[in-house]
Amino acid sequence: MPTHTMRAIRLHEHGGPEVLRYDEVPIPEPGPGEVLVRVHAVGINPPDWYLRDGLSDVPPEVMPKFDLPVIPGTDVSGVVEAVAADVEGFSVGDEVFGLLRFPSFDGRAYAEYVAAPASDLAHKPAGIDHVHAAGAPMSLLTAWQFLIELGHDHPSPFQAARHRPVALGADTTVLVNGAAGGVGHFTLQLAKWKGAFVIAVASGAHEAFLRELGADEFIDYTKSRPEELVNGVDLVVDAVGGRDSSRFLRTLKRGGALFPVFFGEYDEEETAKLGVTVSGTQVRSHGAQLAEVGRLLDAGTVRVAIDSTFPLADAQAAHERASRGHIQGKIVLTVV
């Protein structure tokens, strides 16, 4: 074993990017069912800045419990350093990636080492490096669980009905709003993999990128309103979500569906009148699904786009980049 301490980013208080501190802390011990991972790269996701802000926007009924100081982060790629006695399927030296302990805010990934539940991990695809692998877990599992297979029966905190993906094929049209971001660029690629016709909505700077990923049509929302240009769509995946999302209801055909990744307010009378469904889910850690999407990553069928990388010590600068928005793909912290 190396020395018994490591560097990690911790929050001692809530606030802006400046509250991220680069601390020296003990290396965690893997508990039952866990492996110790030497982290090579960490993906950054919106829950990281929600936690940093103090989860001010999270409804109290779904508020996870945590104590300060806390190490944020959920998405890792790295190498197994130690394995608990009861863990099968992983050995010291294996390259792995995963979404750790989500939806709790207990991932503790912004660190040189992390104790990770083996069930949250998959073997890293050999065809991609740690930076790209770290960009995948939360965003790609979100797209997969929304579009392809939910993979669990936990009730959603946001809706009573179980989320059901829509069957996608050559006769379906999918509109992806926020198509250049983490969840958006994976949603576009999974819909194309299933054969759908995909309309990508983003700002003009991302057009070449999205066409390269397979977008059939592109709408620059800074120049035109997609809800005035498009109708008869089978599925809208809104990776932006929030208050303005209901404007996309009128782009749908009867029987169509709107999947908001971040929940907003929808009028049940309006959706009933239009004959459409609004449905979503909350992404959950799932090693077996990651192994499945890992095959798509290995084959190059799905690509992870990297917006930018920052060393772990510069997590503050990475969060400042995130707060400026217009991210193309994923922001990743490099550790080794």
Side-chain angles (χ1 to χ4, degrees), residues 207-215 303:
E207 179 171 6
F209 165 68
L210 293 169
R211 290 202 182 271
E212 193 190 326
L213 290 183
R303 285 174 33 209

Side-chain angles (χ1 to χ4, degrees), residues 284-305:
R284 299 189 84 92
S285 299
H286 203 307
Q289 284 184 340
L290 263 186
E292 214 173 325
V293 296
R295 291 191 276 278
L296 297 177
L297 293 169
D298 229 349
T301 308
V302 172
R303 285 174 33 209
V304 182

Side-chain angles (χ1 to χ4, degrees), residues 66-240:
F66 59 88
D67 297 314
L68 295 175
V70 64
I71 300 172
T74 58
D75 278 15
V76 293
S77 184
V79 177
V80 175
E81 182 94 9
V83 180
D86 62 341
V87 168
E88 290 172 13
F90 294 104
S91 312
V92 172
D94 285 356
E95 296 191 320
V96 293
F97 73 136
L99 164 63
L100 306 187
R101 301 184 189 88
F102 202 77
S104 85
F105 278 80
D106 196 26
R108 306 195 284 271
Y110 285 24
E112 292 177 322
Y113 294 86
V114 66
S119 59
D120 292 352
L121 297 174
H123 292 275
K124 179 183 79 64
I128 63 172
D129 62 17
H130 286 291
V131 166
H132 288 78
M138 179 177 283
S139 294
L140 185 46
L141 282 178
T142 299
W144 189 263
Q145 289 172 14
F146 267 78
L147 281 184
I148 310 294
E149 190 196 4
L150 188 57
H152 65 80
D153 51 12
H154 295 275
S156 166
F158 304 112
Q159 66 187 42
R162 181 184 161 93
H163 175 73
R164 282 193 170 72
V166 169
L168 298 176
D171 54 350
T172 44
T173 300
V174 179
L175 181 147
V176 183
N177 185 40
V183 173
H185 88 293
F186 289 134
T187 299
L188 185 164
Q189 293 178 80
L190 290 178
K192 288 306 300 173
W193 173 61
K194 285 293 187 185
F197 182 93
V198 179
I199 304 167
V201 179
S203 64
H206 299 303
E207 179 171 6
F209 165 68
L210 293 169
R211 290 202 182 271
E212 193 190 326
L213 290 183
D216 297 289
E217 209 174 293
F218 174 82
I219 297 173
D220 179 350
Y221 71 84
T222 67
K223 296 203 168 101
S224 41
R225 301 182 67 82
E227 68 275 21
E228 289 166 9
L229 296 180
V230 178
N231 55 46
V233 169
D234 297 279
L235 174 64
V236 171
V237 179
D238 186 359
V240 181

Side-chain angles (χ1 to χ4, degrees), residues 274-328:
L274 293 168
V276 298
T277 307
V278 176
S279 179
T281 182
Q282 181 176 45
V283 64
R284 299 189 84 92
S285 299
H286 203 307
Q289 284 184 340
L290 263 186
E292 214 173 325
V293 296
R295 291 191 276 278
L296 297 177
L297 293 169
D298 229 349
T301 308
V302 172
R303 285 174 33 209
V304 182
I306 301 297
D307 176 273
S308 46
T309 62
F310 297 83
L312 180 66
D314 294 343
Q316 183 177 330
H319 276 233
E320 285 163 357
R321 164 70 198 102
S323 68
R324 291 196 297 275
H326 298 285
I327 298 163
Q328 187 167 287

